Amino acid sequence: MTEVSNPSEDFSVFPISIPPVPAFPVKATHYLYLRRNAPRIPTPDDSRSLFIANVPCDSTEVHFRALFASLVGAGRFEGITFEQDKKTSKSSHEPAQSVRLAAHRKRKRSDEELLNAKDEAAAELPSTWSRQIYRSGSSAVALLADEKSVELILKAVRKLKKPKDYPVWGEGVGDKAPPLGSLWLKTHNKLSYPGNDVVQSIMDTYFTVFNRKEKEADQLAKRLRNEPDEDGFVTVTRGGRAAPARRDEAEEAKQKMLEKQQKKKDEMTDFYRFQMREKKKAEQVEILKRFEEDKKRVQAMKEKRGKFRPES
């Protein structure tokens, strides 16, 4: 792969050697771009994180662990988060009433939380891909052991001058990462058609979790109808069995009321002729006042500059 012609001065260019493969039996050089991680919203781990641009499309955590180990030794690398993984969001399977009452829910015991987390994980459909492929030119954030590890890696990258010193991509990975190619597609085809017993087990677990959350939401709504808040007020509900009124609905009603009041106020402005006359007079007085201020400002600038005397 060709090197980007004008990389940013903030980045360190990290060349890696791509070994030949049957589909492309030519040795190539790929260029990574590294710098200290500096997101818009700071996090506690920024000082020991590296932002990596232009990651290879077949990247895995195992690949980067082996890559950094070849530079500064083992024990410096902790993990990596790819850009594509951040943007991937799971759809919520929570009942609607459970989502609305999430802020009022009490914290459970740790063992009960762990059991519920296992049930929710078992209710998810299995992935159909054994290994993720990332788009070309994507980025990632690597988490290292400490700030010293960041400095050591950046220093080691700057020392890479000759192609014979470039680390080899995939060296030391072995069987730790799932294979690509035809085996990858065969595995995908197999994972796409799980057995009926597997699907049935997942669906049973899913509805067990859904019914449990729905029951908890009903109990919480019933408790809130009879429990005063910090100011001593009891939550007003819609109907006998429904949950408390949604906060976004209350905000929407409040916004509509404010817009109605503002519209009525705007309609009464400049309604009478004398109001328009007074408004125009006020505008003229304001213009004259600013004009006089500008004249004084210009006069002061002239006096400060002094008179111009040409040389004889």
Side-chain angles (χ1 to χ4, degrees):
M1 300 180 184
T2 58
E3 182 182 1
V4 178
S5 57
N6 293 319
S8 174
E9 295 178 358
D10 296 337
F11 286 88
S12 297
V13 181
F14 183 13
I16 58 175
S17 179
I18 306 293
V21 294
F24 189 72
V26 179
K27 187 177 180 180
T29 303
H30 183 89
Y31 294 90
L32 301 174
Y33 298 93
L34 279 64
R35 65 167 169 80
R36 295 178 181 273
N37 189 35
R40 294 182 179 178
I41 303 176
T43 63
D45 296 327
D46 289 343
S47 60
R48 62 188 186 104
S49 300
L50 272 177
F51 180 80
I52 309 172
N54 197 32
V55 299
C57 59
D58 62 340
S59 299
T60 64
E61 183 174 329
V62 180
H63 279 78
F64 277 99
R65 187 179 298 276
L67 188 66
F68 289 135
S70 66
L71 285 178
V72 294
R76 300 284 184 181
F77 178 83
E78 287 193 3
I80 190 167
T81 304
F82 295 96
E83 174 191 6
Q84 194 167 318
D85 296 339
K86 292 181 181 178
K87 294 181 179 179
T88 304
S89 59
K90 292 184 178 180
S91 57
S92 175
H93 304 301
E94 296 268 350
Q97 186 167 256
S98 179
V99 174
R100 283 187 306 189
L101 299 175
H104 303 279
R105 191 177 291 122
K106 290 184 177 180
R107 187 175 178 83
K108 299 181 180 179
R109 298 190 305 271
S110 58
D111 54 346
E112 189 175 354
E113 283 185 351
L114 184 61
L115 182 62
N116 291 342
K118 288 182 179 179
D119 291 341
E120 292 176 14
E124 294 289 337
L125 289 172
S127 175
T128 58
W129 293 101
S130 60
R131 182 170 166 182
Q132 186 71 36
I133 297 296
Y134 300 98
R135 63 179 181 81
S136 177
S138 60
S139 61
V141 176
L143 182 64
L144 305 176
D146 49 25
E147 189 173 357
K148 184 179 178 181
S149 301
V150 175
E151 296 175 358
L152 289 174
I153 289 176
L154 293 175
K155 187 176 180 180
V157 167
R158 296 188 193 102
K159 291 182 179 180
L160 297 174
K161 303 297 182 182
K162 299 179 181 180
K164 66 178 183 179
D165 298 330
Y166 296 169
V168 179
W169 180 251
E171 192 175 56
V173 173
D175 298 332
K176 298 177 183 177
L180 294 175
S182 59
L183 290 176
W184 180 59
L185 294 175
K186 286 180 181 178
T187 306
H188 168 64
N189 186 61
K190 184 179 180 181
L191 293 175
S192 299
Y193 300 96
N196 292 337
D197 53 342
V198 175
V199 177
Q200 186 63 49
S201 175
I202 292 173
M203 294 305 297
D204 292 342
T205 308
Y206 173 82
F207 280 108
T208 300
V209 172
F210 185 88
N211 293 335
R212 172 177 58 78
K213 291 184 177 182
E214 202 169 37
K215 183 179 178 181
E216 290 175 355
D218 289 338
Q219 293 174 351
L220 181 58
K222 185 177 180 181
R223 179 173 62 81
L224 289 175
R225 285 197 290 268
N226 303 314
E227 183 177 309
D229 56 16
E230 297 176 354
D231 299 324
F233 294 97
V234 178
T235 304
V236 179
T237 60
R238 297 179 299 174
R241 299 183 180 180
R246 294 173 57 177
R247 184 171 296 180
D248 54 351
E249 291 180 354
E251 291 292 336
E252 185 179 354
K254 181 181 178 181
Q255 188 65 27
K256 286 183 178 179
M257 183 182 68
L258 292 175
E259 290 176 358
K260 188 176 181 181
Q261 291 177 353
Q262 184 63 33
K263 184 178 179 181
K264 186 176 180 180
K265 186 178 178 180
D266 293 341
E267 288 176 352
M268 294 303 296
T269 304
D270 299 337
F271 183 76
Y272 298 102
R273 186 173 296 177
F274 78 90
Q275 289 179 323
M276 297 179 68
R277 286 199 303 267
E278 294 295 331
K279 184 178 179 181
K280 288 181 179 180
K281 286 181 180 179
E283 290 176 354
Q284 291 174 357
V285 170
E286 182 65 24
I287 292 173
L288 290 172
K289 181 180 177 182
R290 286 190 302 213
F291 178 72
E292 292 297 331
E293 290 176 355
D294 291 342
K295 282 177 64 178
K296 292 179 180 178
R297 194 178 295 112
V298 171
Q299 185 64 29
M301 290 172 63
K302 287 181 178 180
E303 292 176 357
K304 186 177 180 181
R305 185 173 56 183
K307 295 183 179 180
F308 176 72
R309 295 181 179 180
E311 296 181 0
S312 57

